Amino acid sequence: DLLREGQEVLVQVAKDPIAAKGARLTCHISLPGRHLVCMPTINHVGVSRRIERDDERRRLREFVEQNRPQGLGFIVRTASGRQHEKRVKADIDYLARLWEEIWAKSNAVSAPALVYEDLNPVLRVIRDWVNEDIDKIIVDSKYHFQEIQRFVGNFMPFLKQKVDLYHGDIPIFDAYNLSNEIHRA
């Protein structure tokens, strides 16, 4: 009753295919960020149950409610507990821009088409671990350098000037004495 033949529907792969079973799909899109999960198809703000203090849960819910774009739902992740509101707001902005890009691309292509693929490990590290406290990101791969520049240019512009491409003759881990530190650890 809900779908008709030929109708285009935006879906997310919830579980990859296994053997003869196809992928499990959902229309409830979820986009993970560092502190939040964006749920663009659900107009609600929730807070992880693992944030136990009621005052902290209330503070985070109210902050996200006041700062979210209309119609976008969010779940506050456990990692957000006791986080500075500036970082949570940056996550709201990042996820809202990401959803805008996905929605625009979905309207520009015909089904079947891939409109978004989760970030690769390099960009996930940038999204999840890098913040304004970082002084510099040094990359020894031109491909990854360009990829990081594109990503931070779109979603974390304050980082763009902090990303450098390493040009040294010796391996980067040796140049910064990381090999010895890893060995000692």
Side-chain angles (χ1 to χ4, degrees):
D1 293 340
L2 298 176
L3 298 174
R4 63 185 182 287
E5 190 173 332
Q7 180 180 353
E8 291 189 9
V9 180
L10 185 62
V11 296
Q12 182 173 25
V13 175
K15 190 172 185 181
D16 289 329
I18 300 173
K21 267 187 161 180
R24 187 180 336 157
L25 306 177
T26 180
C27 288
H28 296 292
I29 310 299
S30 64
L31 304 169
R34 183 184 304 177
H35 303 291
L36 305 167
V37 175
C38 179
M39 310 285 285
T41 60
I42 300 171
N43 189 13
H44 171 75
V45 174
V47 179
S48 168
R49 287 188 180 104
R50 288 193 259 164
I51 298 175
E52 296 175 357
R53 290 185 34 218
D54 285 339
D55 60 328
E56 185 67 6
R57 292 172 59 82
R58 195 175 313 106
R59 179 186 75 84
L60 289 165
R61 177 178 281 115
E62 287 172 2
F63 180 79
V64 172
E65 239 353 303
Q66 292 168 2
N67 289 281
R68 71 182 173 124
Q70 191 170 1
L72 281 188
F74 288 93
I75 297 172
V76 180
R77 299 175 74 175
T78 306
S80 298
R82 295 184 301 263
Q83 281 300 324
H84 193 280
E85 291 172 345
K86 182 174 152 186
R87 291 185 178 165
V88 175
K89 175 70 169 111
D91 223 22
I92 291 171
D93 295 342
Y94 159 72
L95 291 167
R97 279 193 307 274
L98 178 60
W99 174 244
E100 285 174 15
E101 281 188 10
I102 291 169
W103 187 250
K105 187 171 179 185
S106 74
N107 289 320
V109 298
S110 296
L114 177 66
V115 293
Y116 176 73
E117 188 171 13
D118 200 12
L119 300 175
N120 66 42
V122 171
L123 297 182
R124 262 198 317 265
V125 166
I126 300 293
R127 178 194 70 197
D128 293 345
W129 294 99
V130 175
N131 59 44
E132 62 279 349
D133 298 333
I134 297 293
D135 293 327
K136 191 168 290 274
I137 300 168
I138 303 170
V139 185
D140 65 347
S141 157
K142 189 171 185 174
Y143 171 79
H144 284 37
F145 171 77
Q146 291 170 341
E147 185 179 50
I148 291 169
Q149 285 285 49
R150 271 192 306 276
F151 179 76
V152 299
N154 288 333
F155 299 111
M156 305 167 96
F158 64 90
L159 281 177
K160 196 155 172 101
Q161 300 305 315
K162 295 182 177 187
V163 181
D164 286 338
L165 180 60
Y166 175 74
H167 294 288
D169 293 331
I170 60 174
I172 191 170
F173 274 31
D174 293 337
Y176 289 92
N177 203 26
L178 293 175
S179 296
N180 290 338
E181 293 297 321
I182 291 170
H183 182 68
R184 282 193 321 174

